[in-house]
């Protein structure tokens, strides 16, 4: 192991299971001895990790059908991260200095199986862009909603990690009008001025059905839904004949204090679904293994040519990570939320 490495490292653990939504008091930043890589392992110095709403579901324990394990009291949090290999076992295909992506964020140094690391090439101009959540948006738009030139597209949760890219991608793929939803007038203004949205509807500013009807008077062809609930029902009300709805997330249930984070029931008018011939598909990345590579290549091209921007809030230091999760849940940030170490 290299002499410049510290003896200890810090990580964020779940200190207590919340009754309702987690706040920063439910987490602890804990110092622990720096581990050494065993057979097939590497030690990675994390540079960035993602703060994401799915953690709420893992903490809530309603994880049926999820690809990730639940988080119990005392567990270290995890999630997408990028960093640099600082020590590797002799049999590892990775070497010191290699840049990698992996799933053991929320710690300064991660002991990871080399097989669970993705080496980073120069497909993206900045390593932090590997934490962008555009792959789900791109997959939903190209594989499920089949967005076409001239479409009117509605993106719910438009200022979030997925939504802030979904609207831009829809436009790049030919959408004529892109409308979004968000939780504050400030974010609505940024969606229009920075990300090119044509109109924005606001959570907490009256019934969505009326707001969507005004924002998209001719109706919508495509929905990329990260919220569900009342917003999904309103989108169905505004659907044009043959509209394609791609359901990517369910923030209305996931971030509800009254629910455990793994369900989002909503009443929709099945009769409208039938007469309008609307298709309703859930998006799971695992069902579309070809999307990630295609997305990364296009994202890199679009970033380099300035056709897309990757909005994210950069939070400095692991000490602020628990607060960053609370702020994400409170809707205080625009775009993805990333902790920089
Ligand atoms: N299917 C997949 O492959 C895939 C991949 C990635 C993510 N997802 C899912 O997609 C969804 C969006 O993920 P993300 O990372 O982009 O999250 P995100 O939008 O960045 O999550 C935070 C935002 O949620 C909104 N919010 C907070 N409370 C809410 C409530 N009660 N109702 C509605 N919105 C609320 C706030 O935005 P506003 O203030 O703007 O309302 C907040 O800024 C999540 O459900 C996530 O699990 C799915």
């Amino acid at each position: 192991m290299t002499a410049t490495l510290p003896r200890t490292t810090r990580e964020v653990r779940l200190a207590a299971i919340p009754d309702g939504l987690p706040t920063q008091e439910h987490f602890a930043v804990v110092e622990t001895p720096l581990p050494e890589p065993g057979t097939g392992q590497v030690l990675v110095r994390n540079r960035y990790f993602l703060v994401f709403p799915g953690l709420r579901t893992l903490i809530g324990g309603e994880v049926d059908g999820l690809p990730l394990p639940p988080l119990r009291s005392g567990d270290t949090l995890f999630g997408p991260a990028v960093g640099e290999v600082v020590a590797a076992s002799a049999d590892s295909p990775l070497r010191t200095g290699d840049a990698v992506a992996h799933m053991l964020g929320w710690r300064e140094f991660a002991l990871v199986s080399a097989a669970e690391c993705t080496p980073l090439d120069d497909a993206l101009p900045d390593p932090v862009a590997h934490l962008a959540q555009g792959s789900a948006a791109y997959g939903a738009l190209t594989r499920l909603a089949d967005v076409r030139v001239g479409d009117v597209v509605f993106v719910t949760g438009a200022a979030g990690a997925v939504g802030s890219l979904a609207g831009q991608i829809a436009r790049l793929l030919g959408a004529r009008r892109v409308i979004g939803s968000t939780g504050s007038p400030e974010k609505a203004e940024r969606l229009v001025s920075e990300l090119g949205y044509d109109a924005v509807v606001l959570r907490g500013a009256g019934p969505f059905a009326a707001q969507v009807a005004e924002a998209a008077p001719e109706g919508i062809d495509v929905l990329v839904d990260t919220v569900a609930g009342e917003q999904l029902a309103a989108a169905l009300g505004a659907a044009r004949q043959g509209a394609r709805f791609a359901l990517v997330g369910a923030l209305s249930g996931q971030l509800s204090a009254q629910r455990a984070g793994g369900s989002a029931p909503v009443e929709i008018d099945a009769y409208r679904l039938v007469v309008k011939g609307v298709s309703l598909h859930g998006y799971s990345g695992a069902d579309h293994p070809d999307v990630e590579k295609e997305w990364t290549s296009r994202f890199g091209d679009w970033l380099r040519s300035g056709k897309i921007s990757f909005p994210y809030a950069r939070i400095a230091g692991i000490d602020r990570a628990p607060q960053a999760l609370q702020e994400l849940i409170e809707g205080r940030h625009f775009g993805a939320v990333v902790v920089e170490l």
Side-chain angles (χ1 to χ4, degrees):
M1 197 175 282
T2 319
T4 53
L5 293 178
R7 284 164 189 268
T8 60
T9 172
R10 288 179 301 163
E11 56 190 41
V12 181
R13 294 188 187 158
L14 182 62
I17 302 284
D19 180 19
L21 292 170
T23 60
Q24 52 186 311
E25 288 72 32
H26 296 102
F27 304 95
V29 180
V30 175
E31 192 159 352
T32 171
L34 191 70
E36 284 196 37
T39 308
Q41 291 180 322
V42 292
L43 185 66
V44 178
R45 185 198 299 266
N46 283 338
R47 279 193 65 195
Y48 302 101
F49 64 82
L50 185 73
V51 179
F52 59 106
L55 283 169
R56 198 276 151 139
T57 309
L58 302 180
I59 290 167
E62 265 188 6
V63 290
D64 272 2
L66 290 192
L68 300 172
L71 282 162
R72 313 272 185 224
S73 190
D75 286 350
T76 305
L77 274 57
F78 57 85
V82 291
E84 182 189 300
V85 174
V86 291
S89 64
D91 63 335
S92 159
L94 294 168
R95 301 272 48 110
T96 300
D98 287 351
V100 293
H102 60 87
M103 279 300 287
L104 294 184
W106 295 87
R107 60 204 86 192
E108 293 171 318
F109 288 84
L111 186 64
V112 201
S113 158
E116 283 164 14
C117 289
T118 306
L120 302 184
D121 54 21
D122 55 5
L124 300 179
D126 184 347
V128 72
H130 287 276
L131 298 181
Q133 296 297 293
S135 161
Y138 180 79
L141 281 162
T142 58
R143 303 310 199 264
L144 301 186
D146 188 22
V147 66
R148 297 164 202 159
V149 172
D151 277 346
V152 177
V153 176
F154 179 28
V155 177
T156 65
V162 175
S164 59
L165 289 167
Q168 298 184 81
I169 298 166
R171 181 81 78 194
L172 285 163
L173 296 177
R176 169 170 61 91
R177 182 170 176 81
V178 183
I179 67 169
S181 71
T182 188
S184 76
E186 295 73 25
K187 288 203 251 185
E189 204 281 316
R190 291 188 65 182
L191 285 174
V192 173
S193 62
E194 295 175 26
L195 303 186
Y197 276 82
D198 294 294
V200 180
V201 298
L202 271 183
R203 202 151 56 86
F208 276 104
Q211 290 194 62
V212 174
E214 190 179 332
E218 300 162 41
I220 62 171
D221 301 292
V222 165
L223 172 72
V224 177
D225 189 17
T226 71
V227 172
E230 188 195 348
Q231 300 197 32
L232 172 57
L236 186 57
R240 283 154 67 106
Q241 198 67 31
R244 291 93 62 202
F245 282 15
L247 277 50
V248 176
L251 288 163
S252 60
Q254 194 167 41
L255 299 185
S256 159
Q258 285 75 43
R259 300 191 170 279
S263 65
V266 50
E267 188 176 303
I268 55 173
D269 186 342
Y271 191 73
R272 273 174 186 272
L273 211 60
V274 173
V275 294
K276 290 182 175 180
V278 176
S279 69
L280 210 62
H281 288 226
Y283 185 80
S284 164
D287 294 338
H288 303 279
D290 56 325
V291 164
E292 189 68 41
K293 192 162 176 250
E294 183 180 313
W295 156 249
T296 303
S297 162
R298 295 194 88 168
F299 188 34
D301 290 346
W302 285 334
L303 281 171
R304 286 193 179 87
S305 62
K307 289 183 175 159
I308 203 166
S309 70
F310 169 39
Y312 67 96
R314 187 191 296 245
I315 311 293
I318 198 160
D319 289 317
R320 290 191 57 205
Q323 185 187 337
L325 179 59
Q326 180 177 333
E327 289 168 355
L328 171 126
I329 292 169
E330 291 168 352
R332 289 171 185 258
H333 292 298
F334 188 83
V337 180
V338 168
V339 173
E340 181 177 20
L341 299 171

